[in-house]
Amino acid sequence: MKSIKFVLVATLIMFSNIVFANPNPTEDNVKMTVIAKQIAKLLENPSFPIKRNSFITVKFTVNNNNEIVVLSVEAEHNKDVIEEYIKSRLNYKKLKNHVKTSVYTLPIKMVSL
């Protein structure tokens, strides 16, 4: 139950950051919202308890095969555990939508429940 609540809160925060960042939605913003949804789905049900609220910044790129490659994970607490979890869930997972190769930054908030 805690995992489901965590994923919902994290997803809402990700979407609010993406949607409200630019009041005029462009094709790139719409595409990034779809990518954020796919990444949120991949990060569902963490295998570790979340003891404290934590802000995480994930930098990633998308290769020519449309796969996510995690470049870095910055976390306030439990950095090693969170980094391992995110990399294991995201590295080399294919995205459904084609995206240009670039470095993307995704803010995530993990909430203890």
Side-chain angles (χ1 to χ4, degrees):
M1 190 65 171
K2 286 184 179 183
S3 298
I4 294 170
K5 289 179 183 178
F6 159 73
V7 171
L8 290 175
V9 170
T11 304
L12 290 173
I13 290 170
M14 284 190 303
F15 294 134
S16 67
N17 286 339
I18 291 171
V19 172
F20 293 117
N22 187 352
N24 301 324
T26 63
E27 186 176 325
D28 288 341
N29 286 349
V30 172
K31 207 177 259 192
M32 286 308 297
T33 302
V34 172
I35 292 169
K37 286 181 184 178
Q38 291 176 38
I39 289 174
K41 185 95 171 145
L42 291 169
L43 292 175
E44 285 181 345
N45 301 322
S47 58
F48 57 93
I50 300 162
K51 297 176 184 173
R52 307 171 75 177
N53 292 350
S54 183
F55 292 96
I56 302 157
T57 303
V58 179
K59 287 189 181 182
F60 66 94
T61 188
V62 179
N63 65 18
N64 293 333
N65 295 329
N66 213 36
E67 298 170 330
I68 300 169
V69 179
V70 177
L71 302 173
S72 69
V73 178
E74 297 296 323
E76 295 175 332
H77 310 288
N78 296 334
K79 183 179 181 344
D80 295 335
V81 174
I82 292 171
E83 182 176 14
E84 181 182 332
Y85 171 73
I86 289 176
K87 285 184 175 182
S88 69
R89 290 287 182 105
L90 295 183
N91 262 341
Y92 301 104
K93 301 294 191 234
K94 281 200 173 246
L95 293 172
K96 294 175 185 171
N97 301 49
H98 184 70
V99 203
K100 67 180 181 178
T101 302
S102 181
V103 176
Y104 299 97
T105 303
L106 182 66
I108 301 172
K109 182 177 181 183
M110 292 181 126
V111 179
S112 65
L113 302 171

